[in-house]
Amino acid sequence: MSTYSRRQFIRDAAVTGAAISAINTPLKVLAAEKKQVVRLGMIGVGLRGQSHLDQMLKRTDVEIVAMADPDKGMIAMAQKLVAQYNKKAPLEFTNGPHDYQNLLKIDGMDAVLIASPWEWHIEQAFAAVNAGKMAGVEVCGAIKLQDCWDIVQAVEKTKVPVMMMENVCYRRDVMAVLNMVQQGLFGELLHLQGGYEHDLREVLFNDGTPQGGPGVEFGDKGFSEAKWRTNHYVNRNGELYPTHGLGPVATMIDLNRGNRLTTLSSVSTKSLGLHRFIVNNPKGGPNHPNAKVKFKEGDIVTTQMQTTNGETIVLTHDTSSPRPYNLGFRVQGTNGLWIDNHAGGFSEGLIYFEDKSLKKHEWENTKAYMEQYDHPLWKRFEKDAEGAGHGGMDFFVDNAFIECIKRDAAFPLDVYDLATWYSITPLSEKSIAEGGTLQHIPDFTNGKWQTRKPVFGRSSEY
Amino acid sequence: MSTYSRRQFIRDAAVTGAAISAINTPLKVLAAEKKQVVRLGMIGVGLRGQSHLDQMLKRTDVEIVAMADPDKGMIAMAQKLVAQYNKKAPLEFTNGPHDYQNLLKIDGMDAVLIASPWEWHIEQAFAAVNAGKMAGVEVCGAIKLQDCWDIVQAVEKTKVPVMMMENVCYRRDVMAVLNMVQQGLFGELLHLQGGYEHDLREVLFNDGTPQGGPGVEFGDKGFSEAKWRTNHYVNRNGELYPTHGLGPVATMIDLNRGNRLTTLSSVSTKSLGLHRFIVNNPKGGPNHPNAKVKFKEGDIVTTQMQTTNGETIVLTHDTSSPRPYNLGFRVQGTNGLWIDNHAGGFSEGLIYFEDKSLKKHEWENTKAYMEQYDHPLWKRFEKDAEGAGHGGMDFFVDNAFIECIKRDAAFPLDVYDLATWYSITPLSEKSIAEGGTLQHIPDFTNGKWQTRKPVFGRSSEY
């Protein structure tokens, strides 16, 4: 069905090595475009999906052929966006949550971009690759560990690849730090931290109107993410959103490419924040029905992990309390460290290098380093990224997805990254349910991590 | 032997409650001094012991009656210090490492201050209380878990108390934050972090001369701490120095006084920093004998803990790598949070309170809060603390030790705190040795934590 079923996705180490070298050679030699236009379907066109749609509509090399979403209001918003770009209206698949399966039958469609509620990601990606459509899959954690195995095995069997759409891997300061890591400024890496420390209370609750005004409604009565995301907080206790914190540091220590996560253990605080938000809200109060809801998700979940190469990683999930936004990055090696307690601005972090910092034992502001080591990709596409979501980083993740498809090139964040990062969620839930026990993280590559070569951030092409 | 063997140290909850109220009533009513001068022995007068000695010599209510240290050079330095204050030369006990036992036989000596190498702390405190002498015990972690039980049982049996001499509990910003916690600014506490993130490479190694010049020597060839501390890094892998990070947050969540630590798990990075320091040092190099030493201690050790009241704590031990000094505090509750990545200056932290901060979701500088909530103890003793070690905090810990003895009052940081905090070290070693497994932290109070009342920082008396 797809022209991509012939694709040799699972390469051996030697071939992968060659491909990497290729990326650094002039564009036309080896990485030529095999396809001028990517025919794309959107699965999930809520607010996040519309943000991707907006990126894709700006491009001349993408044709949006279809959209699936059971929420007709969202579909209407998405069509309006398409019309603003004077592009052809995509086909609509709105007949319930399973209508995406009909979208997947469209002949000649190359790929889908999945930005649905979390619980649908793996099912839809699985169906996509089995239908011969590549899939770009938005971030979250898996519902069940088996889901991670299912998607890996589906990709291995069909040879149709998926891309893990982790935008924070492309955050400008994160890529500058990655550049510093790759140039050896930190020495040998030792310890990394990341997380999702973001007060989501006004995302998890609203008044249920299409304006998403202030309120304490969620589930059927909520709007947008409050419709489905909040239910995860009712029913689960774990590291629900691991990839924004883990993805960026994973690329720095070459996880699944010469290195591997081995164990995790997670602990959770009590759960107070969401209940308090409802009770103290002018639209809520102690007598509001939602004041009776028991939220299982602890307000702060901490996860510590180990790798085969001897690094440790700490992840923090902190979304139910008042706090400034921060992904809490720390990257530390034998020669120095970087920490970020803000939102990624070039001059907002602290950094120290033994052989570069002017004063011994004193932090420096990050600005000069960030500018000096600004990643070639950002330098090249700075103008294109302007106005794209989340400070421009969304441009890069969408661009990589499309450019890889055009070139028949391996995605820089692939199904093994997706499975590994997604697996943190169910494993952390199990650890917490067992009081904080140690959990072994599966090797989804089945040993291939030992010979797979790093690719992310190694090119200025896309 | 001691006048303190009659002391009713283990109080029941009601009496403790009364004692707390007493602290807040005028000085002379209930907290009258029963003793005008404390007769003190020093066990360990290395550089740390001399710092305490200096504090004690400034006081008119302390008489230093004796000093024990097998290092005659250190004893000579200590005597010189005594002479500078024109005070009577204390008796010397320098006949090997066990001569402190003879010091403990001195009649009429009230207490000892123990600032010896880590491996001696519990043995010496145990001997002290059994000799009827109260003991102030410097910070470190236990060598064996059983040591923690031994000192608890010795104190319970003899009724002779010990004080945990954790100076960082008295750091000015830490006490201001404690004040904010007690006044409810943070809401209900959820998550706390602390640690010891301090590049100790030039402490762990020197040239072995009494000047402690640059070098790569340790053990018998090292000077001061390098003589003994570094060997712990050769032979152990764990959270070697938990109390500077744990103590301050322990007082904020009332550990052992209505709350209790339940579990920990620890992970460690590879060990690279100390070897690299030796190899890259102009006085070392790849052919120096110490370049062959294998250091077991991982460069960064992370420990996550849980409490009965549903808080989580993360500790970081990070002393083998180049980095700015930082104890890495984070105190977070339902209403806001504080973080510190510097060394405790009033204007160096970041803070946010939902109902106080001017801009939603934006950090504020700590300065105004620190000044407004400066702890009454600091306001009262600011002048006295000037010039005392570690930015003044050493004054407070020594002052509390002496003032409690004078009043026959319970120490604010007691044997249960000491045993609990010290126990983190052997438990973390066991966790790491087992790959990061969950360890249960004993209840050294044997249930008394449920009724013991908080005392630390509740008074402006001492």
Side-chain angles (χ1 to χ4, degrees):
Chain A
M1 191 181 288
S2 159
T3 52
Y4 291 89
S5 55
R6 287 167 282 107
R7 180 186 189 97
Q8 185 194 352
F9 176 64
I10 310 301
R11 303 168 193 262
D12 64 30
V15 175
T16 308
I20 298 161
S21 313
I23 286 171
N24 293 316
T25 57
L27 190 71
K28 301 278 166 172
V29 181
L30 279 165
E33 296 176 13
K34 300 184 175 176
K35 178 179 284 288
Q36 300 302 316
V37 173
V38 172
R39 302 188 74 231
L40 188 66
M42 305 291 299
I43 299 182
V45 287
L47 300 186
R48 183 65 186 139
Q50 289 172 41
S51 175
H52 284 296
L53 179 63
D54 190 52
Q55 279 300 303
M56 295 304 178
L57 289 167
K58 284 179 184 158
R59 304 180 69 109
T60 56
D61 54 2
V62 174
E63 180 193 345
I64 307 295
V65 295
M67 308 188 294
D69 199 309
D71 186 330
K72 288 173 188 167
M74 292 298 184
I75 286 277
M77 286 171 77
Q79 289 286 20
K80 200 171 158 189
L81 191 61
V82 176
Q84 282 167 9
Y85 282 90
N86 293 314
K87 296 210 170 173
K88 187 182 161 196
L91 296 173
E92 294 179 8
F93 295 84
T94 63
N95 189 21
H98 294 280
D99 206 15
Y100 76 88
Q101 293 167 350
N102 293 313
L103 175 144
L104 291 175
K105 292 176 185 161
I106 296 174
D107 211 17
M109 188 173 69
D110 303 303
V112 291
L113 208 167
I114 297 171
S116 51
W118 298 345
E119 54 272 26
W120 290 92
H121 287 195
I122 299 286
E123 173 180 324
Q124 291 169 341
F126 184 88
V129 298
N130 279 300
K133 317 297 185 196
M134 288 174 281
V137 189
E138 255 296 343
V139 304
C140 75
I143 308 299
K144 303 192 306 292
L145 187 62
Q146 184 59 42
D147 294 343
C148 303
W149 283 116
D150 289 348
I151 189 63
V152 164
Q153 286 159 1
V155 168
E156 290 181 343
K157 185 178 149 209
T158 63
K159 311 271 190 290
V160 179
V162 302
M163 176 164 165
M164 171 77 223
M165 303 293 282
E166 179 42 80
N167 57 353
V168 183
C169 289
Y170 292 92
R171 203 172 83 175
R172 193 165 194 164
D173 64 327
V174 164
M175 290 206 84
V177 170
L178 174 68
N179 196 15
M180 294 180 220
V181 167
Q182 290 175 348
Q183 295 197 34
L185 270 73
F186 290 91
E188 188 167 341
L189 290 192
L190 295 165
H191 178 70
L192 306 103
Q193 298 184 0
Y196 192 63
E197 311 190 36
H198 185 190
D199 178 0
L200 286 184
R201 294 173 302 162
E202 292 182 359
V203 170
L204 295 171
F205 302 99
N206 52 47
D207 64 1
T209 66
Q211 292 73 42
V216 298
E217 304 301 337
F218 71 95
D220 290 342
K221 293 188 176 175
F223 168 73
S224 187
E225 285 183 69
K227 231 183 199 7
W228 53 268
R229 188 172 186 154
T230 318
N231 279 323
H232 291 275
Y233 288 69
V234 177
N235 299 314
R236 311 171 73 183
N237 190 9
E239 171 45 91
L240 292 182
Y241 209 53
T243 73
H244 286 332
L246 177 56
V249 302
T251 65
M252 295 177 194
I253 53 172
D254 301 325
L255 286 184
N256 292 328
R257 298 172 180 280
N259 196 6
R260 192 171 83 71
L261 284 177
T262 54
T263 71
L264 68 74
S265 57
S266 298
V267 293
S268 153
T269 69
K270 58 190 123 185
S271 174
L272 298 173
L274 301 189
H275 174 74
R276 288 193 182 203
F277 182 78
I278 292 165
V279 168
N280 297 328
N281 196 293
K283 297 208 173 174
N287 297 319
H288 189 282
N290 286 346
K292 292 192 188 67
V293 175
K294 286 211 183 303
F295 294 94
K296 190 173 171 190
E297 175 73 5
D299 289 350
I300 300 172
V301 171
T302 309
T303 300
Q304 58 191 19
M305 290 180 272
Q306 300 177 85
T307 69
T308 50
N309 286 0
E311 300 96 355
T312 53
I313 304 174
V314 174
L315 287 189
T316 306
H317 184 263
D318 168 11
T319 63
S320 301
S321 305
R323 63 158 301 135
Y325 179 91
N326 169 25
L327 301 187
F329 288 115
R330 170 170 171 170
V331 173
Q332 184 165 6
T334 52
N335 197 49
L337 77 167
W338 166 63
I339 56 174
D340 170 54
N341 291 116
H342 292 81
F346 265 18
S347 58
E348 291 182 324
L350 298 172
I351 202 160
Y352 180 78
F353 295 115
E354 181 165 42
D355 53 356
K356 285 190 160 45
S357 292
L358 297 174
K359 289 187 190 168
K360 207 170 168 182
H361 304 306
E362 278 192 32
W363 291 113
E364 290 187 281
N365 183 282
T366 34
K367 188 163 187 284
Y369 291 99
M370 292 294 181
E371 285 171 354
Q372 186 180 349
Y373 292 93
D374 194 19
H375 197 279
L377 258 188
W378 264 93
K379 284 187 190 160
R380 178 172 175 182
F381 289 112
E382 183 174 12
K383 288 282 171 205
D384 302 274
E386 267 176 22
H390 296 100
M393 55 182 153
D394 289 357
F395 163 80
F396 290 92
V397 69
D398 286 334
N399 187 55
F401 182 57
I402 297 301
E403 297 297 341
C404 284
I405 295 173
K406 283 158 65 182
R407 287 167 179 74
D408 198 11
F411 291 127
L413 305 170
D414 65 12
V415 73
Y416 300 114
D417 301 314
L418 186 150
T420 306
W421 303 355
Y422 267 47
S423 78
I424 303 309
T425 301
L427 290 167
S428 71
E429 290 179 81
K430 185 157 187 279
S431 177
I432 289 170
E434 295 176 359
T437 55
L438 192 70
Q439 304 292 323
H440 292 275
I441 301 170
D443 171 16
F444 293 101
T445 74
N446 192 24
K448 290 189 286 287
W449 65 271
Q450 295 171 75
T451 48
R452 281 160 48 95
K453 302 296 175 197
V455 292
F456 185 86
R458 305 268 164 165
S459 153
S460 60
E461 202 182 355
Y462 52 80
Chain B
M1 189 183 291
S2 158
T3 53
Y4 291 90
S5 57
R6 287 167 283 108
R7 178 188 190 98
Q8 186 195 350
F9 175 64
I10 310 301
R11 303 167 194 262
D12 64 32
V15 175
T16 309
I20 297 160
S21 314
I23 286 171
N24 292 317
T25 58
L27 188 71
K28 302 279 166 170
V29 183
L30 279 164
E33 296 176 13
K34 299 183 177 176
K35 177 180 284 289
Q36 300 302 316
V37 172
V38 173
R39 302 188 75 233
L40 188 66
M42 306 292 297
I43 298 182
V45 288
L47 301 186
R48 182 66 185 140
Q50 289 173 42
S51 176
H52 284 295
L53 179 64
D54 190 52
Q55 279 301 303
M56 295 302 178
L57 287 167
K58 284 179 183 158
R59 304 181 68 110
T60 58
D61 55 1
V62 175
E63 182 192 342
I64 307 294
V65 296
M67 307 188 295
D69 199 308
D71 186 330
K72 288 172 187 166
M74 290 298 184
I75 285 278
M77 286 172 78
Q79 287 288 19
K80 200 171 157 189
L81 190 61
V82 176
Q84 283 168 7
Y85 281 90
N86 292 314
K87 295 208 171 175
K88 187 181 159 194
L91 296 173
E92 294 178 8
F93 295 82
T94 62
N95 189 20
H98 294 280
D99 206 15
Y100 76 88
Q101 293 167 350
N102 293 313
L103 174 145
L104 291 174
K105 292 176 185 161
I106 295 174
D107 211 17
M109 189 175 67
D110 303 303
V112 292
L113 208 166
I114 297 170
S116 51
W118 298 345
E119 55 272 27
W120 289 92
H121 286 196
I122 299 286
E123 173 181 324
Q124 291 169 340
F126 184 88
V129 299
N130 279 301
K133 316 298 185 194
M134 288 175 281
V137 189
E138 255 297 342
V139 304
C140 74
I143 308 299
K144 304 190 307 291
L145 186 62
Q146 184 58 42
D147 295 342
C148 303
W149 283 116
D150 288 349
I151 189 63
V152 164
Q153 288 160 0
V155 169
E156 289 181 344
K157 184 178 151 210
T158 62
K159 311 271 191 289
V160 179
V162 303
M163 176 163 166
M164 172 75 223
M165 303 292 282
E166 180 41 81
N167 57 354
V168 184
C169 290
Y170 293 93
R171 203 172 84 175
R172 193 166 195 163
D173 64 326
V174 165
M175 290 206 83
V177 170
L178 175 67
N179 196 15
M180 295 180 219
V181 168
Q182 290 175 349
Q183 296 197 34
L185 270 73
F186 290 91
E188 188 167 340
L189 291 193
L190 295 165
H191 178 70
L192 306 103
Q193 298 183 2
Y196 192 64
E197 312 188 35
H198 184 190
D199 178 359
L200 287 184
R201 294 173 301 161
E202 292 182 358
V203 170
L204 294 171
F205 301 100
N206 51 47
D207 65 359
T209 66
Q211 292 72 43
V216 298
E217 303 300 336
F218 72 97
D220 290 342
K221 292 188 176 174
F223 169 72
S224 188
E225 286 182 68
K227 232 185 199 4
W228 54 269
R229 188 171 186 155
T230 318
N231 280 322
H232 291 273
Y233 288 69
V234 177
N235 299 313
R236 309 171 75 184
N237 190 8
E239 171 45 270
L240 292 182
Y241 208 53
T243 74
H244 286 332
L246 177 56
V249 303
T251 66
M252 296 177 193
I253 54 171
D254 302 325
L255 286 186
N256 292 327
R257 298 172 180 279
N259 196 6
R260 191 171 84 69
L261 285 177
T262 53
T263 72
L264 69 74
S265 56
S266 298
V267 293
S268 152
T269 70
K270 57 190 126 185
S271 175
L272 297 173
L274 301 189
H275 173 73
R276 288 193 183 203
F277 181 78
I278 292 165
V279 169
N280 296 330
N281 196 292
K283 298 209 173 173
N287 297 318
H288 189 281
N290 285 346
K292 292 192 188 68
V293 175
K294 286 211 184 301
F295 294 94
K296 191 173 170 189
E297 175 73 5
D299 289 349
I300 300 172
V301 171
T302 309
T303 300
Q304 58 190 18
M305 288 181 274
Q306 300 179 85
T307 69
T308 51
N309 286 0
E311 300 96 354
T312 53
I313 303 173
V314 174
L315 288 188
T316 306
H317 184 264
D318 168 12
T319 63
S320 302
S321 305
R323 61 158 302 133
Y325 178 91
N326 168 26
L327 301 187
F329 287 115
R330 169 169 172 171
V331 173
Q332 183 164 6
T334 52
N335 198 49
L337 76 166
W338 166 64
I339 56 174
D340 170 54
N341 291 115
H342 292 82
F346 265 18
S347 59
E348 291 182 324
L350 298 171
I351 202 161
Y352 180 77
F353 294 116
E354 181 163 41
D355 54 356
K356 286 190 160 43
S357 291
L358 298 174
K359 289 188 190 166
K360 207 169 167 181
H361 303 307
E362 278 193 29
W363 292 114
E364 291 188 280
N365 184 281
T366 35
K367 188 163 188 282
Y369 292 98
M370 293 295 181
E371 286 171 353
Q372 185 180 350
Y373 291 93
D374 195 18
H375 197 280
L377 259 188
W378 264 94
K379 284 186 190 159
R380 178 172 175 182
F381 289 112
E382 183 174 13
K383 287 282 170 204
D384 300 274
E386 267 175 21
H390 296 100
M393 56 182 152
D394 289 356
F395 163 81
F396 291 91
V397 70
D398 286 333
N399 186 57
F401 181 58
I402 296 301
E403 296 297 341
C404 284
I405 295 172
K406 284 159 63 182
R407 286 165 178 76
D408 198 11
F411 291 127
L413 305 170
D414 67 11
V415 73
Y416 300 113
D417 300 315
L418 186 151
T420 306
W421 304 354
Y422 267 48
S423 77
I424 303 309
T425 301
L427 289 167
S428 71
E429 290 179 81
K430 185 157 186 279
S431 177
I432 289 169
E434 295 176 358
T437 56
L438 192 70
Q439 303 291 324
H440 292 275
I441 301 171
D443 171 16
F444 293 101
T445 74
N446 194 23
K448 291 189 286 286
W449 65 272
Q450 295 171 76
T451 50
R452 282 160 48 95
K453 303 294 178 200
V455 292
F456 184 86
R458 305 270 165 164
S459 153
S460 60
E461 202 182 354
Y462 52 80

